[in-house]
Amino acid sequence: MSQLQEVGFEPDGSASTGVGTGSRCWVLVLPRAAGEENRQVDSMSVGGTNGPARCREKVLTLDSMNQQVKKVEYAVRGAIVLRASAIEKELQQGTSKPFSEVIRANIGDAHAMGQKPITFIRQVLALCTYPQLLCDHNMPEDAKARARKILDACGGHSIGAYTASQGIEVIRQNVAKYIEKRDGGIPSCPDNIFLAAGASEAIVVSGGRGRALSVSPRWCSNGD
């Protein structure tokens, strides 16, 4: 049976369970396994010099952990995803299964999971792709102002025109202003910013030398 025991560590490094002058901490004494000595895990320093407790061995190591955890892979595509697609088609065709839907966890598809889109972004996109809506009184003025600013930065006032490889300059300027504000006034140059269709694409374009600024919630393709 596991026990919680107070242990003292003297200045010379020796340990004792009695009253001492050195630092003291609580350790969790795990039950002894066959052929093993008791293993102790430092839990919390409670007084003295707060010196580090000396454990006989680590409880969790690469060898003692569940070996299946070491085999976990980040699989956006692959056999599991293909099987999920096949099961979805089977459900659509009326095949009886003990569940009614497939929830995909291989990508961060927030909208597919029911998250509502941000209205302002959809309005600006609608105005940019169909400028006639600028005359629609049902569209809010702040969305119209943003759409006009973007269209004015596009050739022929159309988002169908070619842009610089880095992306539309006015948008990169807005991104630079956001970064500068976020970082407490540290200048950010729009020329050092590249717009991409997603974090994965941005990481590929940067060759791992830059940083990808993504919306939240997001799926962390290459760390966070």
Side-chain angles (χ1 to χ4, degrees), residues 102-147:
V102 174
I103 298 178
R104 293 172 176 259
N106 63 310
I107 56 175
D109 199 349
H111 287 181
M113 294 296 102
Q115 183 189 47
K116 300 301 181 182
I118 299 176
T119 303
F120 178 77
I121 295 176
R122 290 300 178 93
Q123 290 170 336
V124 173
L125 288 173
L127 289 162
C128 288
T129 55
Y130 191 61
Q132 286 87 336
L133 290 175
L134 290 169
C135 300
D136 191 330
H137 298 294
N138 293 319
M139 284 291 186
E141 291 302 319
D142 58 344
K144 290 181 180 180
R146 182 67 61 86

Side-chain angles (χ1 to χ4, degrees), residues 8-159:
F9 292 91
E10 302 302 329
D12 63 357
S14 61
S16 68
T17 56
V19 177
T21 59
S23 61
R24 306 192 66 77
C25 69
W26 289 96
V27 296
L28 180 65
V29 181
L30 301 177
R32 180 179 298 176
E36 289 187 350
E37 295 183 354
N38 282 355
R39 296 172 294 175
Q40 296 182 337
V41 182
D42 181 17
S43 174
M44 178 179 63
S45 178
V46 295
T49 60
N50 290 324
R54 299 180 182 179
C55 301
R56 296 182 181 179
E57 66 177 69
K58 293 182 179 179
V59 174
L60 183 62
T61 66
L62 290 176
D63 293 327
S64 65
M65 69 185 295
N66 188 324
Q67 297 303 299
Q68 297 300 323
V69 176
K70 295 165 63 175
K71 298 178 182 180
V72 172
E73 297 180 359
Y74 170 56
V76 176
R77 303 170 183 83
I80 294 179
V81 180
L82 293 175
R83 179 56 184 149
S85 298
I87 292 176
E88 285 178 331
K89 291 181 180 179
E90 292 174 8
L91 290 172
Q92 293 172 359
Q93 294 169 358
T95 302
S96 178
K97 293 186 180 296
F99 49 87
S100 59
E101 63 176 332
V102 174
I103 298 178
R104 293 172 176 259
N106 63 310
I107 56 175
D109 199 349
H111 287 181
M113 294 296 102
Q115 183 189 47
K116 300 301 181 182
I118 299 176
T119 303
F120 178 77
I121 295 176
R122 290 300 178 93
Q123 290 170 336
V124 173
L125 288 173
L127 289 162
C128 288
T129 55
Y130 191 61
Q132 286 87 336
L133 290 175
L134 290 169
C135 300
D136 191 330
H137 298 294
N138 293 319
M139 284 291 186
E141 291 302 319
D142 58 344
K144 290 181 180 180
R146 182 67 61 86
R148 290 191 181 97
K149 190 173 182 179
I150 294 174
L151 291 172
D152 288 343
C154 297
H157 298 278
S158 172
I159 59 171

